[in-house]
Amino acid sequence: MLFSQFFAPTSRDVPSEAVVISHQLMIRAGMISKTASGIYCWLPLAMRVMEKIIAIVADEQSKIGSQRVLFSTIQPAELWKESGRYDSYGKEMLRIRDRKDGEFLYSPTNEEQATDIFRKYVHSYKYLPLMLYQIHWKFRDEIRPRFGVMRGREFLMKDGYSFARNFAEAQEIYQRVFHSYINTFRRMGLIAIPVQADPGAIGGNMSHEFQILAETGESTLFYDGRLLNASAEEQLSIYAVTDDRYDSQTAPIPKEELMVSKGIEVGHIFYFGTKYSKPLDAYVLDENGNKLYPEMGSYGIGISRLIAAIIESSHDNRGIIWPEAVAPFDVTILNLHQQDEECRDIALKLYQAISSKREVLYDDRSISVGEKLADADLIGIPYQIIVGQKKIREGKVELKNRKTSNVELLSPEEVIKRFTSNGE
Ligand code: P5A
């Protein structure tokens, strides 16, 4: 991609309402544009990151046997009256009337709808367990949308729903999802701390939140330090809670010995048994022809929030530092002297050669050296290949690592080899 043709409206100005660094950087890097409070448009740089995150999430979902669907965003109110949540969900629900005065709502979550699909099509225990997920937009009319896309009103979620024959099978699925979430976040370069959580409006009696450690997080976590080095299996039984759940009576370790950190909730999983299957009368027949109400769970990942959370946990005073797995491009080429023919030739040659194997953003714009370097650090692509007059005369270009700021002086051939040979 040529930067001169890439729609990334970077800017130096941030609105005063952008108080957290991820919000400021997403606006400065030209990733998002505000439509209304808590509602954003997503621009190409953000979309590239979002697609990478979605690919990792989808891959991990398919590994645990969950099948992708796409529910409608608009649901009939009737479905939520069946579960009893139409009233209890309250003002966070965006209620809509169509031209015939029918009552609808924009999905804040899809437990009812998943259960409805199940009851329509699944009638035998032989189809259990069943796991479905989607990646789709939600709307929750939060009282205080803030921190940009971190707490939006419209946001993208991976939401999964499971149907099991019995409690043991439901527990096994819950654990499978638990492990897969640890892997999912690890693949994005993040360490997610699983904490015991409150089921809240989703309901049920077992729930874990996955929290990314970040100073600007909205949650305060108390956790046993061993959690940081434990395997996913061990993590399920190591103590960690959010401050509102801490109870000195039941905590296995005194408060003074627990680690305290701020966290951002990027995932939340729930086991709620037959809370939805019973009221919606969603059942299958078991081997004896008796009614069996599936034991259910639901599993969320805040995809759009993750983009902000990754920035919160990986940036410096110059800008974003994307983990390689979710970076919008693998490498950027900065031609510092666009008017210089030799620089242009070398930069183009590098661009063409490396593009065959990697995603490259070639900054071919005729802007000042300072602006070009500043934009590259702001956008945070993991590697910068810097082509400048002086070094080119010595047959060299610079390869800079955005994270470490380490610079290597290499020939253009060496750089091409670095990015195109297998194993790099
Ligand atoms: C789980 C899947 C649920 O809704 N039903 C379907 C369950 N869980 S949840 O905890 O309420 O949300 C799941 C994740 O979505 C993200 N999230 C948000 N992201 C941005 N803005 C918001 N207002 C918002 N609300 C929730 C979080 O990452 C949460 O863990």
Side-chain angles (χ1 to χ4, degrees):
M1 173 62 73
L2 299 178
F3 206 142
S4 59
Q5 290 165 23
F6 186 53
F7 181 52
T10 58
S11 79
R12 305 279 165 256
D13 311 319
V14 281
S16 57
E17 66 175 28
V19 292
V20 295
I21 191 75
S22 58
H23 190 189
Q24 294 169 4
L25 289 172
M26 287 182 83
I27 289 173
R28 284 184 47 206
M31 294 175 68
I32 50 169
S33 172
K34 182 174 163 182
T35 306
S37 173
I39 306 178
Y40 291 85
C41 294
W42 297 78
L43 306 184
L45 195 65
M47 287 310 297
R48 296 183 74 100
V49 176
M50 193 186 275
E51 297 288 358
K52 298 260 162 86
I53 291 176
I54 289 174
I56 293 173
V57 168
D59 185 51
E60 291 294 326
Q61 286 298 299
S62 91
K63 277 190 197 159
I64 56 167
S66 192
Q67 301 177 56
R68 191 163 177 179
V69 297
L70 195 60
F71 297 125
S72 60
T73 54
I74 307 292
Q75 305 181 34
E78 192 46 46
L79 209 43
W80 285 62
K81 289 181 180 167
E82 284 188 69
S83 72
R85 278 209 292 184
Y86 192 63
D87 292 327
S88 67
Y89 215 91
K91 281 190 176 285
E92 276 198 9
M93 180 185 282
L94 181 65
R95 294 155 208 261
I96 304 165
R97 281 188 190 266
D98 71 2
R99 65 202 300 161
K100 294 181 189 144
D101 221 24
E103 289 180 300
F104 291 85
L105 58 103
Y106 194 104
S107 304
T109 176
N110 297 66
E111 279 77 10
E112 284 81 355
Q113 213 176 9
T115 311
D116 184 47
I117 292 279
F118 182 90
R119 73 177 166 187
K120 275 185 186 154
Y121 301 107
V122 185
H123 304 299
S124 162
Y125 72 98
K126 289 184 186 150
Y127 290 100
L128 297 184
L130 178 66
M131 293 171 79
L132 302 174
Y133 79 99
Q134 66 163 350
I135 294 171
H136 214 359
W137 294 92
K138 305 279 180 279
F139 193 92
R140 292 182 187 171
D141 205 350
E142 304 264 352
I143 306 179
R144 269 205 299 163
R146 55 185 178 151
F147 305 156
V149 300
M150 194 95 85
R151 179 168 295 283
R153 292 197 294 166
E154 187 180 58
F155 60 97
L156 189 61
M157 193 199 289
K158 185 289 288 181
D159 44 322
Y161 305 88
S162 67
F163 304 85
R165 293 178 200 205
N166 50 42
F167 178 71
E169 191 171 80
Q171 294 294 301
E172 189 278 315
I173 291 173
Y174 188 93
Q175 285 172 22
R176 214 193 293 170
V177 177
F178 183 99
H179 296 156
S180 123
Y181 272 31
I182 302 280
N183 281 337
T184 303
F185 297 124
R186 198 170 281 159
R187 276 180 68 179
M188 294 173 198
L190 299 168
I191 294 171
I193 307 267
V195 304
Q196 293 157 25
D198 232 325
I202 306 295
N205 46 21
M206 182 150 93
S207 172
H208 281 88
E209 285 172 7
F210 292 79
Q211 300 266 355
I212 299 300
L213 301 183
E215 280 163 25
T216 48
E218 286 187 285
S219 328
T220 303
L221 319 177
F222 291 116
Y223 59 98
D224 181 337
R226 287 177 298 175
L227 200 70
L228 294 172
N229 298 312
S231 68
E233 277 77 19
E234 292 162 338
Q235 282 184 332
L236 194 53
S237 52
I238 296 181
Y239 185 71
V241 288
T242 42
D243 57 348
D244 51 327
R245 296 255 305 175
Y246 179 80
D247 176 356
S248 56
Q249 300 296 312
T250 55
I253 305 177
K255 206 169 188 174
E256 312 77 69
E257 288 171 31
L258 293 171
M259 315 253 302
V260 187
S261 304
K262 289 279 182 190
I264 301 171
E265 182 201 318
V266 291
H268 200 160
I269 62 176
F270 304 81
Y271 159 74
F272 43 72
T274 54
K275 178 172 190 260
Y276 298 93
S277 53
K278 281 233 168 101
L280 269 70
D281 203 29
Y283 63 86
V284 294
L285 294 181
D286 69 11
E287 48 274 75
N288 304 316
N290 297 323
K291 276 188 182 178
L292 185 161
Y293 289 93
E295 294 263 341
M296 294 178 59
S298 75
Y299 316 94
I301 292 181
I303 304 275
S304 49
R305 174 180 289 182
L306 255 175
I307 299 176
I310 291 169
I311 297 174
E312 288 294 335
S313 77
S314 185
H315 67 269
D316 61 15
N317 57 10
R318 300 191 307 267
I320 304 167
I321 303 172
W322 292 112
E324 289 187 34
V326 298
F329 294 91
D330 300 316
V331 48
T332 179
I333 298 169
L334 311 182
N335 182 0
L336 300 186
H337 303 105
Q338 196 59 31
Q339 315 311 329
D340 181 299
E341 200 178 324
E342 196 181 358
C343 285
R344 266 205 321 272
D345 286 349
I346 298 284
L348 193 62
K349 186 174 129 194
L350 286 165
Y351 175 55
Q352 286 167 342
I354 299 170
S355 293
S356 66
K357 288 277 172 67
R358 296 300 194 93
E359 292 175 346
V360 188
L361 180 66
Y362 168 24
D363 195 345
D364 60 336
R365 295 173 301 168
S366 299
I367 57 170
S368 76
V369 170
E371 280 177 281
K372 212 167 253 197
L373 294 170
D375 266 359
D377 282 350
L378 172 64
I379 287 175
I381 295 166
Y383 295 97
Q384 302 173 3
I385 301 169
I386 303 168
V387 181
Q389 272 168 343
K390 217 167 120 217
K391 297 287 184 326
I392 279 295
R393 306 288 181 255
E394 301 160 16
K396 304 279 186 191
V397 297
E398 289 177 330
L399 174 61
K400 183 177 148 190
N401 181 312
R402 173 67 184 86
K403 187 172 176 185
T404 61
S405 291
N406 179 45
V407 177
E408 290 176 80
L409 210 52
L410 300 168
S411 70
E413 291 70 30
E414 286 169 319
V415 174
I416 292 172
K417 197 163 160 225
R418 182 77 68 91
F419 286 101
T420 56
S421 61
N422 292 333
E424 229 309 78

